[in-house]
Amino acid sequence: MKISGSYTIRAPRQAVWDRLIDPQAIAGCLPGVEKLNQVGQDEYEMSMTVGIGPVRGTYEGKVRLANMNPPDEYQMQVEGSGRPGFVRGTGTVRLADGPNSTTQITYEGDVEVGGPVAGVAQRMLGGVAKRLVEQFFSCIEKQITSS
Amino acid sequence: MQITVKVNGVAHTHDVEPRMLLVHFLRDVLNLTGTHIGCDTSQCGACTVLMNGKAVKSCTVFAVQADGAEITTIEGLARDGQLHPVQEGFWEMHGLQCGYCTPGMIMTAVDLLQRIPNPTEEQIRHYLEGNLCRCTGYQNIVRAVQYAAEKMRA
Amino acid sequence: MAVTKLFGASVKRREDPRLITGRGNFTDHIRLPGTLFMALKRSPHAHARIVRVDVSKARAMPGVVAVYTGQDLVDKLAPVPCAWLIPNSDLKVPSYRALAVDKVRYVGDAVAAVVAENRYVAEDALEAIDVEYEVLPAIVDQEQATQDGAPQLYDDVPNNIAFHWKLHAGDFDSAWNQAEVKLSRRLINHRLIPTAMEPRGALAHYNPGTGDLTIWCTSQNPHVHRLLLSAVTGIPETRIRVIATDVGGGFGSKIPMYSGEMLASAISRDLGRPIKWFESRRENYVATTHGRDHIQYVDLAATREGKVTGIRVKSYANLGAYLSTASPGVPTWLFGLMLCGAYAIPAVHVDVFGVVTNTTPTDAYRGAGRPEATYLLERMMDLLARELGMDPADIRRKNFVPKEQFPYTTATGLQYDSGNYEATLDRALELVNYQQLRREQEELRAQGRYLGIGFSTYVEVCGLAPSAAAGAMGFQGGLWESATVRVHPSGKVSVFTGSNPHGQGEETTFAQIVADELGISIDDVEIVHGDTEMIPFGMGTYGSRSLAVGGTAVIMATRKVKEKATKIAAHLLEVAPEDVTFENGRFFVKGAPDRAKTFQEVAGAAYLAWSMPEGVTPGLEETHFHDPINNTFPFGCHICVAEVDADTGKVSFRKYVAVDDVGNVVNPMIVDGQVHGGIAQGLAQAVYEYAAYDENGQLLTATLMDYAVPKASMLPRFDVDRTVTPTPVNPMGAKGAGETGTIASTPAVANAIIDALSPFGIDHLDIPLTPERIWRAVQERRG
């Protein structure tokens, strides 16, 4: 399943970049994250509890940041599995300066959902993926503005 | 957890795991295998039983929730060697083929006729939506329920 | 033919009392002390290399007795067999391990088996198994799978093509070159999930003391499963007993040999304890075979008068990740041979590519190949009618094999036994009041309402036979059936049949036949099926063959019994056998009806054996293996009348008429039931059911929440009628009725909906015709 979109954060590019590669900041803005441990250079293990439609479950997974090109672009690879199934995805996040010291974020990615959750998740996610991503960026934005 | 459930008129007391489903309690603990399992998402209705007189899908009820309840399964429907009119209707009208959905279908139909003694065909088809049959195309199931309705009114 | 009291009567089913009181003998009801439960860890990925399987945590869990990986069983269990090795097709049968060893190839491919003290613990332990996969690109679409550069499932199956099967009969090329009308279409016959209400399962019990394996399982063909289980486990056939008494529906999906039954058997032998395995519905959806899934390119040649002169089909059949037991034969022989349908078409060219993809394996599903052929033909007939401005009823009539020409040999080489196709069409037209219906259609259109009338004038091949034909087609088995008729000393009769009903009611129909033949009460006849220990051998129930083939075996065995009983009766009556008449259960001397012995007296005498005729042995029991001379060919006309709401795409059914000709009918009530259920499944393919995969090979319709098995409120009432054209192939004149409804109804419904949409210039849409698909098509045309 392909997802793509853009979001504008009212903060300068470097500040946004710093947050977007900061594991604690990410963990704080992803729903249901229960732990996030660094296990290597730009590689993290996490566990999160997510409900997709009627199927709720805990996923254990890995997040890897790659092709880091600060403060312009990086790739994120996510892999998680749990009783309801698994999620795998890769995405590219690009940052560009916007007007009035804002940052334009564009993202595109490909997500695969498998296992028992696949049927439900794909239909649900199709509709809500964009909103979830926007929630994430808006949370990051709040972190920056409140600090 | 200890529970006491009255099934087909007989009280049973057992220790069960809190996560045990009522359908597994009936089948695996009480050996009442007439209640069938056809899915794991509560769509098919093969496991339908009467709980305190109302049709429930026993795969969506935990055994512990049935503590103190009265359950009627397909094995308890016939009384004194007399088939229930719904059972009779299924036999007379060829309302079953493989027979796997039949116990649940019959229990739902019993519940239907308690609520609507003289249902229209549309009402019957609507009421049976929670019970899937793959063999009959439902036509003879509808006739079976109509047969029972008539018999019960007489 | 002895048409007596019970033949033709709607006798109430003798199997029902146990089934309506919750006393059926379904596999999951069987309990044995010391039983362990097996659960299977299945791949969540459609295509991946297995890097590592770590079962240590699962093994250490309390209540877990053993955990097996593919590697553990390599030497204990041969691969899942494929038993239809179609010749001259460059067939490749890749190894299909019950537990995958190096690679998984579909979501649901099993990688490990847990055995535990109860099902809850077994399920918990699955969670503790850690499988590391290296995910590979997956391929789902069978046509794309044959393109260069597509992901490859196997090193030795280039372009994923497991076979290329051809049948070129007649001169299609010149028919095409000379054709006044040419139609070319790409049709999709999408994938379906059989969905027997009882999922599959097994209870296997190996006794290390005797070396006997007894397995209760959900089987349409217990002897075939015994043979295959013997082949994969190495346990001799003589030591295996397969029991399948009550089976909760099959529709083809309980024919194949599967990993679950194999694993339960092998692990029971390994541990010396009974092993029960029962799949969940989700498991059933990903790991029990699916059906259909063809992409068909069709070229139809015809004259301007509407006479079809040739048909060419190139079909891509999606076999799924592995070749299931009968999978190569279904989209080839059972499809290609039937491409003449009810019509005299002189040239038929078929090329079928069997393609492996990262999806659940496909195999027989009710109709198996014949629905795919019938849908194609019936859709093309409507397109031809549209092209020529002809009535769809007329175009069919014009092309029918005329009734004077039976037995009729088709271009594809089948010999149609008997038929009167026009009679079913005429009767159906009368029942729907066709002319008035067309007028009404016009009137409604003027009001912006869209009524459609859809035809399907089908013929199907059933009673699959004879064995020599099976051999020529590469089917690794015979297509006969066996029966033993055992008369007990009291005169009561046990009949052992190799047919194995799972809803078809043979305990009733076979008893009707035997009671008639012997002139005894039906209550004195017991039908025994589904136990390899009791029955000589059996090919099983599928392909609408039980009555035509299995029933004939029963009759022939019964007649042998009568022959012997006549000799004994003659001896007792002190006359020659030629001077004895047998009627209504009594043997009497011709011309002296008072000098008589009852059937029961003769049975008693046969067992006392105090005084037997010269050369006649004691006892009264006969076995017959019946290999029919030909298939049977039921036919009929189904007409669907449906209204489409052009603003929402919603379809409502106004009327559904089925006029079938299945030859003589033993039990009309049971045949009606078969037709109803068949129509429901075929109609559902036309408008509801669809097994959907995403591009990564995830089955999106993996539960009954997502896969649209019709509910009572989603189906119309069916008006069922019959004409009777007996077959000369068997003594009953009966043809077979199990699949007619499914075969006929999909095109009838699709044709009705497309007819309704014709004012929008729509002449074809691929099924299933969901509201969304219809709505989009209408929106597009409306601009």
Side-chain angles (χ1 to χ4, degrees):
Chain A
M1 189 176 55
K2 308 257 189 271
I3 53 171
S4 64
S6 62
Y7 191 85
T8 304
I9 287 184
R10 279 159 299 171
R13 180 143 58 124
Q14 187 63 47
V16 175
W17 174 269
D18 291 343
R19 291 284 168 173
L20 283 180
I21 61 162
D22 170 8
Q24 293 314 318
I26 296 174
C29 284
L30 284 174
V33 170
E34 280 154 14
K35 72 170 197 239
L36 188 89
N37 300 321
Q38 185 151 13
V39 290
Q41 171 81 25
D42 297 326
E43 200 173 316
Y44 307 90
E45 264 181 11
M46 66 171 185
S47 121
M48 60 196 289
T49 300
V50 188
I52 303 175
V55 191
R56 195 173 175 80
T58 300
Y59 297 81
E60 303 282 339
K62 273 192 190 141
V63 181
R64 193 175 315 137
L65 305 181
N67 299 337
M68 305 265 274
N69 185 11
D72 295 332
E73 180 179 320
Y74 70 94
Q75 270 188 356
M76 184 156 58
Q77 294 162 356
V78 187
E79 235 179 79
S81 62
R83 183 154 197 145
F86 71 87
V87 182
R88 280 159 32 92
T90 54
T92 304
V93 179
R94 290 192 189 86
L95 282 66
D97 290 327
N100 309 324
S101 67
T102 59
T103 305
Q104 275 275 329
I105 301 175
T106 54
Y107 60 89
E108 57 186 32
D110 197 349
V111 184
E112 182 188 354
V113 186
V117 80
V120 179
Q122 297 218 359
R123 265 174 296 147
M124 309 279 297
L125 280 184
V128 301
K130 207 176 169 67
R131 218 163 55 88
L132 289 174
V133 173
E134 282 176 4
Q135 271 175 10
F136 172 77
F137 286 129
S138 123
C139 169
I140 294 282
E141 182 173 26
K142 272 193 208 116
Q143 283 194 5
I144 299 171
T145 48
S146 65
S147 65
Chain B
M1 239 188 112
Q2 195 180 74
I3 58 168
T4 298
V5 187
K6 198 169 186 185
V7 180
N8 301 331
V10 181
H12 298 270
T13 302
H14 285 276
D15 265 324
V16 298
E17 267 191 80
R19 65 170 172 168
M20 178 178 264
L21 300 173
L22 176 59
V23 67
H24 286 142
F25 176 73
L26 294 170
R27 291 179 56 86
D28 296 343
V29 179
L30 303 186
N31 274 312
L32 291 169
T33 54
T35 302
H36 297 165
I37 301 173
C39 73
D40 27 48
T41 49
S42 293
Q43 253 72 40
C44 82
C47 66
T48 306
V49 299
L50 300 183
M51 183 162 152
N52 297 325
K54 286 183 186 154
V56 297
K57 292 181 177 176
S58 61
C59 71
T60 53
V61 177
F62 290 111
V64 294
Q65 290 174 286
D67 189 19
E70 279 198 39
I71 304 287
T72 306
T73 71
I74 186 75
E75 289 96 337
L77 202 56
R79 290 283 158 82
D80 308 321
Q82 280 291 304
L83 291 178
H84 186 282
V86 174
Q87 289 172 309
E88 209 183 299
F90 272 72
W91 193 10
E92 290 289 336
M93 294 293 135
H94 190 32
L96 63 150
Q97 289 177 30
C98 82
Y100 200 79
C101 75
T102 310
M105 202 64 87
I106 287 177
M107 299 317 278
T108 303
V110 168
D111 184 87
L112 161 64
L113 294 178
Q114 282 169 6
R115 293 171 197 233
I116 312 171
N118 190 13
T120 62
E121 172 163 354
E122 206 185 336
Q123 283 174 317
I124 296 170
R125 286 181 182 268
H126 178 69
Y127 208 89
L128 295 178
E129 275 198 337
N131 291 72
L132 296 178
C133 169
R134 192 57 158 167
C135 295
T136 63
Y138 302 101
Q139 187 148 327
N140 285 344
I141 292 179
V142 170
R143 291 174 64 218
V145 177
Q146 287 167 335
Y147 174 99
E150 200 166 307
K151 176 122 193 184
M152 286 164 80
R153 285 198 310 274
Chain C
M1 189 193 66
V3 181
T4 55
K5 288 166 294 215
L6 294 178
F7 197 110
S10 289
V11 174
K12 277 200 297 179
R13 292 206 323 172
R14 290 140 52 90
E15 34 279 89
D16 288 1
R18 66 175 185 271
L19 297 172
I20 56 176
T21 54
R23 265 81 177 187
N25 295 309
F26 295 97
T27 299
D28 197 21
H29 301 4
I30 312 293
R31 318 262 130 156
L32 292 178
T35 296
L36 299 173
F37 289 83
M38 179 180 84
L40 299 177
K41 178 86 173 174
R42 296 187 179 276
S43 169
H45 301 290
H47 198 192
R49 207 170 296 290
I50 301 171
V51 179
R52 189 177 52 90
V53 184
D54 181 357
V55 300
S56 54
K57 266 186 269 174
R59 270 198 188 123
M61 287 173 68
V64 172
V65 175
V67 184
Y68 295 83
T69 65
Q71 211 52 257
D72 298 334
L73 291 172
V74 165
D75 298 328
K76 294 177 178 174
L77 205 49
V80 182
C82 176
W84 200 332
L85 308 176
I86 54 174
N88 309 320
S89 60
D90 197 16
L91 174 69
K92 299 171 189 76
V93 182
S95 172
Y96 181 7
R97 287 278 168 191
L99 293 178
V101 175
D102 52 346
K103 243 176 130 182
V104 289
R105 293 185 176 85
Y106 68 97
V107 170
D109 214 350
V111 289
V114 170
V115 180
E117 295 293 345
N118 69 51
R119 5 186 153 217
Y120 284 66
V121 173
E123 293 284 335
D124 287 348
L126 289 185
E127 298 296 301
I129 297 174
D130 192 11
V131 186
E132 192 185 321
Y133 295 101
E134 178 199 334
V135 178
L136 302 169
I139 183 80
V140 170
D141 179 284
Q142 66 266 41
E143 196 178 2
Q144 288 167 15
T146 62
Q147 307 297 310
D148 289 333
Q152 299 291 300
L153 270 74
Y154 301 93
D155 294 338
D156 48 0
V157 184
N159 293 86
N160 298 311
I161 297 173
F163 61 77
H164 173 195
W165 180 87
K166 295 181 269 293
L167 176 72
H168 291 187
D171 187 355
F172 176 81
D173 292 336
S174 51
W176 185 251
N177 291 333
Q178 291 160 22
E180 293 165 339
V181 183
K182 297 179 181 184
L183 291 177
S184 297
R185 286 286 164 158
R186 180 179 189 265
L187 304 178
I188 294 179
N189 202 297
H190 58 277
R191 180 180 283 241
L192 300 175
I193 306 181
T195 321
M197 289 319 298
E198 177 198 37
R200 288 186 312 104
L203 170 60
H205 181 208
Y206 183 82
N207 181 333
T210 61
D212 288 335
L213 171 73
T214 305
I215 176 168
W216 288 262
C217 62
T218 50
S219 172
Q220 294 179 225
N221 32 224
H223 284 88
V224 175
H225 279 137
R226 184 181 67 177
L227 181 63
L228 296 175
L229 275 173
S230 169
V232 297
T233 60
I235 302 171
E237 253 183 302
T238 48
R239 289 275 167 226
I240 302 179
R241 178 180 187 183
V242 179
I243 306 173
T245 318
D246 282 328
V247 177
F251 314 111
S253 71
K254 291 172 181 173
I255 298 171
M257 185 77 255
Y258 290 94
S259 58
E261 293 86 332
M262 289 168 53
L263 289 164
S265 302
I267 293 173
S268 179
R269 176 173 58 179
D270 214 43
L271 300 177
R273 289 180 65 177
I275 304 289
K276 181 176 273 191
W277 162 75
F278 223 84
E279 64 183 10
S280 65
R281 177 58 62 188
R282 181 184 152 74
E283 226 180 336
N284 175 265
Y285 268 27
V286 296
T288 289
T289 51
H290 296 173
R292 317 275 191 263
D293 207 346
H294 293 198
I295 297 172
Q296 303 159 341
Y297 288 86
V298 190
D299 297 307
L300 188 86
T303 66
R304 251 189 297 274
E305 285 70 46
K307 195 100 176 94
V308 178
T309 52
I311 187 163
R312 177 170 58 197
V313 177
K314 181 167 74 169
S315 171
Y316 294 89
N318 195 337
L319 306 176
Y322 302 94
L323 273 56
S324 174
T325 309
S327 119
V330 172
T332 53
W333 292 110
L334 296 181
F335 166 75
L337 287 176
M338 288 312 293
L339 279 170
C340 297
Y343 314 114
I345 303 177
V348 179
H349 278 204
V350 198
D351 285 77
V352 180
F353 295 92
V355 185
V356 289
T357 64
N358 296 113
T359 59
T360 298
T362 56
D363 206 315
Y365 169 53
R366 201 170 192 173
R370 291 151 289 166
E372 295 92 318
T374 305
Y375 173 76
L376 177 159
L377 261 184
E378 293 303 301
R379 202 69 275 293
M380 293 307 287
M381 290 311 263
D382 264 31
L383 282 162
L384 181 60
R386 180 81 70 95
E387 175 77 21
L388 297 172
M390 284 176 73
D391 188 292
D394 295 340
I395 198 109
R396 287 171 165 81
R397 205 184 288 281
K398 184 161 237 123
N399 285 283
F400 276 154
V401 174
K403 70 168 190 250
E404 307 76 41
Q405 287 188 18
F406 290 93
Y408 172 84
T409 303
T410 67
T412 55
L414 292 172
Q415 196 191 70
Y416 288 175
D417 53 348
S418 64
N420 184 354
Y421 300 159
E422 275 200 278
T424 57
L425 174 62
D426 288 338
R427 179 73 185 131
L429 290 172
E430 183 188 328
L431 286 171
V432 296
N433 205 348
Y434 187 55
Q435 293 313 327
Q436 195 195 313
L437 204 55
R438 283 290 180 199
R439 281 194 295 275
E440 192 187 343
Q441 182 182 39
E442 281 307 309
E443 288 160 22
L444 287 173
R445 275 180 189 167
Q447 304 164 24
R449 287 176 60 187
Y450 302 96
L451 190 74
I453 305 161
F455 288 84
S456 171
T457 49
Y458 72 97
V459 57
E460 75 142 316
V461 50
C462 69
L464 290 179
S467 300
M473 295 190 293
F475 182 71
Q476 304 299 298
L479 284 172
W480 44 264
E481 195 49 273
S482 82
T484 295
V485 174
R486 177 178 301 159
V487 184
H488 300 274
S490 59
K492 310 246 189 239
V493 178
S494 297
V495 178
F496 302 85
T497 170
S499 297
N500 197 46
H502 35 285
Q504 295 85 348
E506 274 112 88
E507 287 174 43
T508 307
T509 47
F510 284 12
Q512 288 178 246
I513 297 170
V514 173
D516 273 359
E517 283 285 325
L518 297 179
I520 59 178
S521 162
I522 193 169
D523 296 333
D524 289 346
V525 184
E526 285 307 319
I527 305 297
V528 181
H529 60 82
D531 186 343
T532 59
E533 204 80 327
M534 302 171 79
I535 290 140
F537 201 94
M539 298 312 297
T541 287
Y542 46 82
S544 307
R545 69 195 301 275
S546 289
L547 184 64
V549 189
T552 302
V554 168
I555 286 202
M556 301 311 276
T558 309
R559 290 185 179 170
K560 284 185 185 174
V561 161
K562 276 202 301 199
E563 207 176 301
K564 181 172 178 182
T566 304
K567 284 183 194 159
I568 298 170
H571 179 71
L572 296 174
L573 294 166
E574 298 176 325
V575 293
E578 306 80 75
D579 295 327
V580 171
T581 300
F582 181 57
E583 253 178 45
N584 297 324
R586 282 170 83 252
F587 297 89
F588 59 88
V589 178
K590 279 179 191 156
D594 293 345
R595 284 184 62 199
K597 292 282 176 191
T598 64
F599 179 73
Q600 290 77 10
E601 285 171 329
V602 173
Y607 281 91
L608 287 173
W610 290 340
S611 173
M612 295 293 280
E614 180 84 24
V616 176
T617 54
L620 195 51
E621 168 171 334
E622 297 290 346
T623 294
H624 188 83
F625 282 62
H626 173 67
D627 198 358
I629 50 169
N630 191 5
N631 307 285
T632 57
F633 295 86
F635 56 90
C637 175
H638 287 209
I639 300 179
C640 175
V641 185
E643 186 171 346
V644 179
D645 183 330
D647 296 327
T648 63
K650 188 182 178 341
V651 174
S652 44
F653 295 100
R654 164 88 73 91
K655 197 170 181 64
Y656 192 101
V657 166
V659 180
D660 297 298
D661 193 320
V662 297
N664 286 323
V665 169
V666 176
N667 187 318
M669 176 191 80
I670 287 178
V671 169
D672 287 352
Q674 288 292 314
V675 173
H676 295 162
I679 295 171
Q681 282 178 9
L683 177 149
Q685 177 176 20
V687 292
Y688 301 128
E689 292 181 26
Y690 179 36
Y693 279 95
D694 74 3
E695 71 279 8
N696 299 309
Q698 294 294 336
L699 180 64
L700 300 179
T701 51
T703 70
L704 284 167
M705 287 187 287
D706 307 289
Y707 187 79
V709 169
K711 302 170 176 183
S713 57
M714 292 157 71
L715 295 174
R717 198 186 321 171
F718 313 121
D719 296 327
V720 174
D721 197 13
R722 274 186 283 279
T723 60
V724 178
T725 310
T727 175
V729 169
N730 61 58
M732 289 167 289
K735 291 194 168 188
E739 294 160 301
T740 54
T742 315
I743 290 167
S745 57
T746 309
V749 173
N751 284 342
I753 294 169
I754 290 165
D755 182 49
L757 295 173
S758 64
F760 297 96
I762 293 168
D763 67 0
H764 178 73
L765 293 174
D766 279 319
I767 45 176
L769 298 170
T770 58
E772 184 193 352
R773 211 169 259 190
I774 293 169
W775 180 83
R776 281 184 194 285
V778 171
Q779 290 299 105
E780 212 173 276
R781 299 321 191 274
R782 278 176 168 170

